[in-house]
Amino acid sequence: MMLSVILIGITILFLLVNLFYFFTNKSYKQSYASPALFYKLFFVLLSITFGFAVLYYVISLETVVLKVNDPTGEPADHSFLNLVYYSGVTILSVGYGDLVPVGSARFFSLIEAAIGLLLPAAYFMKAISSSD
């Protein structure tokens, strides 16, 4: 138990150090990396993820929004953390397939997935055009 906590901590520290190293103020010719743009994209995607999770939660107060993807098709647990998870895998286009939207959540899932694809593309286009 304690070993796994230590290993998780080391792994998180390793990831943070790598991100810091990537975004330090080193200048390279033809570099399009912008820490400010990255942070902005990250926080916008994070807030949209939570916004859609709240939307799914509000809809789940009236009706089922997610079902478990197995032969039983039982409604999924509508806890907020479960809805944040579903929103996250939708906006990042991971789509593990363990949860399936039903009803009006299907429409909102399509909108969220489209935002998850188009928003980073728009940010990258902005980064490329602003560096010319």
Side-chain angles (χ1 to χ4, degrees):
M1 175 75 175
M2 187 62 167
L3 179 62
S4 64
V5 170
I6 292 170
L7 290 175
I8 289 170
I10 290 170
T11 303
I12 291 171
L13 183 62
F14 173 77
L15 293 170
L16 290 174
V17 166
N18 277 291
L19 282 172
F20 176 77
Y21 174 74
F22 181 76
F23 287 110
T24 53
N25 289 329
K26 296 178 183 173
S27 58
Y28 300 99
K29 264 190 169 175
Q30 299 294 321
S31 176
Y32 302 118
S34 166
L37 201 58
F38 173 80
Y39 295 138
K40 186 176 181 181
L41 175 62
F42 176 79
F43 286 114
V44 167
L45 284 174
L46 188 65
S47 63
I48 290 172
T49 300
F50 276 98
F52 271 96
V54 169
L55 177 67
Y56 298 136
Y57 183 78
V58 170
I59 296 170
S60 75
L61 296 175
E62 300 282 324
T63 185
V64 174
V65 295
L66 297 175
K67 287 191 176 183
V68 177
N69 189 18
D70 65 6
T72 64
E74 296 177 7
D77 175 33
H78 289 122
S79 68
F80 186 70
L81 285 178
N82 204 27
L83 295 167
V84 168
Y85 162 78
Y86 173 75
S87 182
V89 298
T90 300
I91 200 159
L92 295 174
S93 299
V94 175
Y96 291 121
D98 53 345
L99 300 174
V100 179
V102 294
S104 61
R106 293 173 65 177
F107 171 75
F108 292 116
S109 295
L110 284 174
I111 299 298
E112 183 178 13
I115 290 170
L117 286 171
L118 297 174
L119 191 63
Y123 272 86
F124 292 127
M125 294 302 293
K126 182 177 180 180
I128 290 171
S129 68
S130 67
S131 66
D132 289 339

